[in-house]
Amino acid sequence: MNKKVSRRARDDTRQLIRTPGLSRPKLRLEVMSGMDAGAVVVSGEKVLHIGSQHGSTLELGDPAVSRIHVQLTNAESGVRVRDLESTNGTWLPGGVRIQQAMVPSGTVIILGQTQVRLDTMNERVPESLSVKTGFGGMVGLSAGMRSIFSLLQRVAPTDETILITGETGTGKELCARSIVDRSRRAEGPFVVVDCGAIAPSLLESELFGHVRGAFTGALDGRQGAFERAHGGTIFLDEIGELPVEFQTRLLRAVENRSVRRVGGSEDIPLDIRIMAATNRCLEEEVNRGTFRPDLYYRLSVVQIRLPPLRERPEDIELIARGMMAEIAPDLALEQAVDPAQLKKLMRYRWPGNVRELRNHLSRLVLGDMVITDLPTGEGSDGAPSGEVDLSLSFKDGKEGAISHFERAYLTQLLEHTKGNISEAARLARTDRNYLTRLLHKYGIHPR
């Protein structure tokens, strides 16, 4: 994708590659009070979890602590504490409840009846950054993306199970395909299953297959997606959409690398690599009881979080140039975007992320026009225009429509409540923390 990167972009690339690798301090977690008082964990991992679930970085026996209660992100700039929709919340001394916050070293957080002190240490862990600004079809100049490329270079040749998370449009399937292309299974089948697009009654047959006569209409036996992926890779997209009652069957297939067809009596062993993706926070789904914790841990042996474009604006120009080289090889980005508009592209939050950027550039080329303003996909009244872009897949079109609806709904909701988020959450009949995250996603700020 980066064959036509401009000279300035190449110079920027060299400058970033010369930058010394980032590092982060090790984090020390000490239980100050509660039934686990005295327990200490020291970790240099970037993401840590505290909870009652076995496998947590700090596992607590406190019954008031949720399975995956809180997430700690350990970075150069500090420690980000994020409550994962826990039952009893995450608190600071003095009765301050936090959903998400950057905290200094020495902060004590309260989970149930337990107090945990967070201390950053002098010992540091280097952040591994790839010297390359791409991996497969993915590109990026930012440190965050080059950290991901470094991880992908290490895990691609293995058969480890991988969970890819990120907002809609961040390129989760592209990431999976790029991993497969660098793996020993590159010549094998790559079977993609959109778990959110299959009716619950058909899930078992679609994934595991069925024998002849298993149900009405089953005139012949049929292989499921897992069998079709034998010798290669299966990619379970939108894994967070699976009904909880089906997850037990999937867990067995993931653990044993074997399936049993609907109506069959024999287990079929498989040589298969499993990757999954979701735009949901599965840790929160575990706490809600809508996703099995054992399945979560089986799928997240390696977890890759793809950041949204708003967190890496320095990548937008490089991505746009690569896209234009594919969409219209004879049309340079500068012919469609003047410098002022390019700056606007880089400032725009792109709620639909990379997919929205590509769709926008495709429409520019197909319409043989030059950017005059960023797309809104809406009429003058803020409602959807009613026109359907048939150049998009059904999935992309649906996700775009949902994004436009959410933006319009949230904007009008805050106008109606005069910026009162608690009242807005009550009117929308949704959780206040979930509403806050949606507002952040779309860059909507209460007045």
Side-chain angles (χ1 to χ4, degrees):
M1 287 179 62
N2 55 358
K3 291 182 179 179
K4 295 198 173 187
V5 178
S6 68
R7 179 177 179 181
R8 184 180 67 179
R10 289 197 301 269
D11 291 342
D12 289 344
T13 302
R14 296 192 193 101
Q15 182 178 357
L16 277 166
I17 290 174
R18 287 199 302 267
T19 302
L22 302 178
S23 66
R24 59 180 178 271
K26 284 190 174 182
L27 192 60
R28 184 178 187 272
L29 314 179
E30 181 179 359
V31 181
M32 306 300 294
S33 67
M35 61 188 303
D36 298 293
V40 175
V41 170
V42 176
S43 175
E45 293 295 319
K46 188 170 186 178
V47 178
L48 302 82
H49 292 104
I50 304 175
S52 61
Q53 178 67 35
H54 177 67
S56 301
T57 310
L58 175 59
E59 184 179 338
L60 300 174
D62 187 341
V65 171
S66 295
R67 285 171 170 155
I68 312 177
H69 196 109
V70 68
Q71 175 179 287
L72 309 176
T73 302
N74 184 13
E76 172 69 22
S77 55
V79 181
R80 183 177 297 278
V81 178
R82 179 185 174 190
D83 182 84
L84 296 171
E85 299 295 323
S86 64
T87 301
N88 295 311
T90 300
W91 302 77
L92 297 176
V96 178
R97 184 170 185 171
I98 58 174
Q99 172 60 30
Q100 185 167 246
M102 292 292 294
V103 299
S105 179
T107 296
V108 174
I109 58 175
I110 303 171
L111 299 75
Q113 303 301 313
T114 302
Q115 294 190 8
V116 180
R117 179 182 170 110
L118 315 178
D119 285 297
T120 54
M121 305 176 68
N122 292 330
E123 187 178 355
R124 305 185 72 83
V125 177
E127 185 85 50
S128 178
L129 301 183
S130 172
V131 297
K132 298 180 179 179
T133 56
F135 183 88
M138 308 168 68
V139 296
L141 296 168
S142 61
M145 287 305 295
R146 290 195 290 126
S147 176
I148 290 173
F149 297 157
S150 175
L151 174 60
L152 295 181
Q153 288 164 8
R154 299 194 300 274
V155 303
T158 74
D159 270 348
E160 296 286 7
T161 303
I162 296 176
L163 176 64
I164 305 171
T165 64
E167 294 179 6
T168 295
T170 48
K172 295 184 286 294
E173 184 174 337
L174 176 61
C175 179
R177 290 185 182 275
S178 298
I179 293 170
V180 170
D181 289 343
R182 298 293 195 279
S183 75
R184 67 178 182 87
R185 298 177 181 271
E187 302 302 320
F190 179 64
V191 178
V192 179
V193 180
D194 185 350
C195 299
I198 304 174
S201 59
L202 300 177
L203 272 170
E204 195 167 3
S205 175
E206 289 292 328
L207 288 177
F208 305 143
H210 60 260
V211 300
R212 181 179 179 181
F215 48 83
T216 303
L219 303 179
D220 296 296
R222 180 176 181 270
Q223 286 187 334
F226 272 79
E227 280 189 75
R228 297 197 303 274
H230 180 66
T233 305
I234 188 168
F235 177 57
L236 303 173
D237 198 10
E238 303 302 344
I239 192 73
E241 305 300 321
L242 285 178
V244 68
E245 58 270 16
F246 179 76
Q247 293 172 20
T248 303
R249 287 292 312 273
L250 179 60
L251 174 63
R252 191 175 302 117
V254 173
E255 285 181 327
N256 301 332
R257 292 300 197 270
S258 66
V259 297
R260 180 177 296 183
R261 291 186 182 184
V262 177
S265 58
E266 296 182 354
D267 290 334
I268 303 170
L270 299 172
D271 172 21
I272 191 173
R273 184 182 195 173
I274 299 174
M275 289 193 280
T278 181
N279 59 13
R280 296 192 180 199
C281 177
L282 291 188
E283 295 91 344
E284 292 181 358
E285 300 299 327
V286 167
N287 287 334
R288 294 190 184 106
T290 58
F291 203 86
R292 290 182 61 102
D294 44 7
L295 179 58
Y296 165 74
Y297 281 108
R298 287 290 182 180
L299 293 174
S300 60
V301 176
V302 177
Q303 186 167 163
I304 298 164
R305 176 189 176 270
L306 298 180
L309 273 184
R310 65 178 177 274
E311 291 183 7
R312 52 186 188 110
E314 63 268 43
D315 292 342
I316 292 176
E317 182 177 350
L318 181 64
I319 294 171
R321 290 186 184 282
M323 287 177 174
M324 287 297 292
E326 292 182 349
I327 297 168
D330 298 327
L331 182 64
L333 184 63
E334 288 82 357
Q335 293 176 268
V337 186
D338 63 38
Q341 294 295 334
L342 182 58
K343 289 182 180 179
K344 185 177 290 187
L345 284 178
M346 296 179 69
R347 289 196 304 267
Y348 185 56
R349 291 181 65 84
W350 297 106
N353 293 296
V354 177
R355 182 180 294 139
E356 183 183 1
L357 175 60
R358 184 181 185 88
N359 291 343
H360 178 56
L361 294 175
S362 295
R363 286 193 291 269
L364 285 175
V365 173
L366 291 174
D368 192 25
M369 61 182 182
V370 176
I371 289 180
T372 56
D373 203 351
L374 287 172
T376 64
E378 301 171 349
S380 59
D381 60 353
S385 64
E387 296 183 2
V388 176
D389 186 352
L390 296 179
S391 68
L392 305 179
S393 68
F394 173 79
K395 180 181 179 181
D396 289 355
K398 180 180 73 172
E399 290 177 344
I402 291 173
S403 293
H404 291 313
F405 164 76
E406 289 180 342
R407 178 190 290 276
Y409 183 94
L410 295 170
T411 299
Q412 294 181 36
L413 181 66
L414 281 191
E415 288 178 354
H416 179 75
T417 62
K418 296 180 172 57
N420 187 316
I421 295 180
S422 296
E423 183 181 352
R426 181 180 59 79
L427 288 176
R429 294 185 292 280
T430 190
D431 180 75
R432 187 181 190 277
N433 292 328
Y434 175 68
L435 180 65
T436 301
R437 288 198 301 276
L438 279 179
L439 294 172
H440 176 71
K441 173 182 176 181
Y442 292 107
I444 301 173
H445 304 289
R447 296 176 180 176

